[in-house]
Amino acid sequence: MRLYATLFAIVYVLMILTAFILPEFSAEGYSRVEHSLSELGAQETPNNWIMNLVFMLLGIATVLLGTKVLRQFWLPLYLLYFFAAAMFFTGVFQHGHINEVVFFEGEHMAHSVFSMITGTAFCAYSIAVSFFLKRIERASAILLCCLAIGLSLLMLQFDHLRGILQRILFITAFGWLFYSLVSFKYEKPEGKT
């Protein structure tokens, strides 16, 4: 498990560095506060491949570590796979350019769909995995689900802050995911074999 945990940690740090450093080398007018991580990987945006690669690596690292830890817990594991696959395809399909100079509608729509699936699958995973955890750990899973929903709603309400809100969401969600996979003790609910 140590190898997969190390890989996940490296990708997590890479995500944070990319989220805050890549804007310096991205499209003119890109704002960390206003623009999302998806817009760092947008169509025809300078160095967009870096953010898209990070999305794909997050999906791969999640599958590797999740499989090692949750192999006996099929429901949360399959939901985690669904989440990771959606994250991977969020990187495959690119967001529309922030200035809409080059805009392939079909690709942008596919990106948007996979992005929504990613958030929904994360919440479903958080709820499902809570049934295999003890009190404090269970509460953290439910709290993360609520946080993901709350920050997503705030992004819709305060469009001009979506960049910073999404960064908070990604750092918190993937940080919790890493911590939960390497630290929590998963158990079958009592009375189940």
Side-chain angles (χ1 to χ4, degrees):
M1 181 172 96
R2 180 170 285 177
L3 172 65
Y4 300 129
T6 302
L7 177 64
F8 192 103
I10 290 168
V11 173
Y12 177 70
V13 170
L14 182 62
M15 177 199 69
I16 294 171
L17 293 173
T18 301
F20 290 99
I21 296 173
L22 186 58
E24 296 298 321
F25 307 96
S26 188
E28 185 175 328
Y30 182 92
S31 165
R32 289 174 189 86
V33 173
E34 183 180 345
H35 294 108
S36 69
L37 296 176
S38 292
E39 290 168 304
L40 277 178
Q43 300 167 22
E44 300 298 319
T45 298
N47 303 305
N48 63 349
W49 66 271
I50 298 171
M51 190 69 245
N52 293 320
L53 179 63
V54 168
F55 285 145
M56 290 184 270
L57 290 174
L58 282 167
I60 293 167
T62 299
V63 165
L64 293 173
L65 183 57
T67 300
K68 189 72 176 166
V69 174
L70 296 171
R71 64 181 169 264
Q72 297 175 358
F73 306 94
W74 65 269
L75 178 60
L77 179 61
Y78 290 154
L79 287 169
L80 191 66
Y81 285 165
F82 193 53
F83 162 75
M87 177 58 67
F88 183 88
F89 285 109
T90 296
V92 170
F93 298 101
Q94 297 177 3
H95 190 282
H97 192 278
I98 65 170
N99 299 321
E100 296 186 23
V101 175
V102 175
F103 190 82
F104 300 104
E105 183 70 33
E107 186 165 352
H108 175 73
M109 290 303 296
H111 174 88
S112 297
V113 167
F114 283 113
S115 181
M116 287 188 296
I117 291 170
T118 299
T120 304
F122 178 80
C123 289
Y125 165 77
S126 298
I127 297 300
V129 81
S130 72
F131 291 101
F132 300 94
L133 297 170
K134 295 291 184 186
R135 282 187 181 180
I136 297 297
E137 296 166 343
R138 178 180 299 145
S140 75
I142 294 168
L143 177 65
L144 255 293
C145 176
C146 294
L147 183 70
I149 293 168
L151 286 171
S152 297
L153 292 173
L154 285 173
M155 281 186 266
L156 292 173
Q157 181 67 33
F158 301 103
D159 190 49
H160 62 286
L161 297 175
R162 76 178 179 274
I164 196 66
L165 292 170
Q166 188 188 46
R167 282 166 173 78
I168 292 168
L169 174 58
F170 267 61
I171 290 168
T172 306
F174 280 100
W176 174 81
L177 188 57
F178 174 74
Y179 182 76
S180 68
L181 288 171
V182 299
S183 299
F184 290 2
K185 184 177 179 184
Y186 300 89
E187 298 175 351
K188 299 275 186 184
E190 290 182 23
K192 303 282 183 189
T193 55

